[in-house]
């Protein structure tokens, strides 16, 4: 059985127009990997491994950019005061919280959204915080449906 062909791959440092400026690697970089792999005569398995490594490196860059942006956001985020009355104390309404944090989120390339899922046990609300480079984190909270009384 012939020995497996060994191929050396050189990874060039990214230019100032690449991920150093927070830009995501797009289809161009994947196309470049495929073109280089074809020119080197690499097997489909080796190309697949290269693409997997590439995607993992990009995901890690996106995560680092998110964490840096989130850290800056936390420094800039205004204090939220609980001004609204509740049954057992005070709270801050979500629209007021969103309005207060929006400038600091935008300045750091962050956004958030909520997804609501109706389950057989009630409702699940998931808040997703995303960064412009693509990384996101989410957290969910579930509660049983309140079927008492008339509600709209």
């Amino acid at each position: 059985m012939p020995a497996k062909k060994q191929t050396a791959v050189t990874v060039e440092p990214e230019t100032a127009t690449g991920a150093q400026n927070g830009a995501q690697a797009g289809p161009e970089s994947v196309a470049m990997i495929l073109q280089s792999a074809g020119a080197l005569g690499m097997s489909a398995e080796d190309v697949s491994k290269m693409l997997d490594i590439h995607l993992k490196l990009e995901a890690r860059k996106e995560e680092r950019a998110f964490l840096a942006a989130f850290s800056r956001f936390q420094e800039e985020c205004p204090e939220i005061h609980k001004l609204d009355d509740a049954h057992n104390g005070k709270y801050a309404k979500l629209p007021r919280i969103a309005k207060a944090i929006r400038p600091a989120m935008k300045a750091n390339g962050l956004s958030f959204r909520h997804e609501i899922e109706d389950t057989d046990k009630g409702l699940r609300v998931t808040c997703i915080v995303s960064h412009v480079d693509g990384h996101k984190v989410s957290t969910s909270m579930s509660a049983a449906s309140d079927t008492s009384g008339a509600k709209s």
Side-chain angles (χ1 to χ4, degrees):
M1 190 160 147
K4 186 174 178 180
K5 181 179 172 183
Q6 296 293 317
T7 306
V9 178
T10 303
V11 179
E12 296 295 324
E14 294 180 326
T15 65
T17 58
Q20 291 175 351
N21 282 348
Q24 289 181 339
E28 315 80 44
S29 57
V30 173
M32 212 176 347
I33 289 172
L34 293 173
Q35 184 179 13
S36 298
L40 294 171
M42 294 176 71
S43 71
E45 182 183 343
D46 290 339
V47 172
S48 178
K49 288 177 184 177
M50 276 184 65
L51 288 175
D52 284 346
I53 290 168
H54 173 74
L55 293 174
K56 286 176 183 175
L57 290 171
E58 289 303 312
R60 184 65 186 127
K61 286 180 198 174
E62 291 171 3
E63 181 183 21
R64 281 195 311 265
F66 173 88
L67 293 172
F70 198 76
S71 180
R72 288 188 307 272
F73 162 74
Q74 288 180 317
E75 291 175 16
E76 299 168 12
C77 187
E79 185 176 343
I80 307 296
H81 299 283
K82 297 178 181 181
L83 303 175
D84 304 295
D85 292 320
H87 295 290
N88 297 319
K90 299 276 191 181
Y91 76 106
K93 290 183 179 179
L94 184 58
R96 198 163 42 75
I97 295 169
K99 184 177 180 180
I101 67 172
R102 190 168 285 119
M105 290 194 77
K106 183 178 178 183
N108 290 291
L110 298 168
S111 63
F112 73 93
R113 71 180 190 278
H114 293 95
E115 293 180 354
I116 301 171
E117 182 182 358
D118 193 359
T119 69
D120 50 342
K121 295 180 180 179
L123 293 176
R124 177 176 322 157
V125 179
T126 301
C127 179
I128 302 159
V129 178
S130 303
H131 186 255
V132 294
D133 282 355
H135 188 76
K136 60 186 171 193
V137 295
S138 63
T139 188
S140 298
M141 187 170 78
S142 298
S145 298
D146 183 355
T147 58
S148 65
K151 296 175 186 64
S152 58

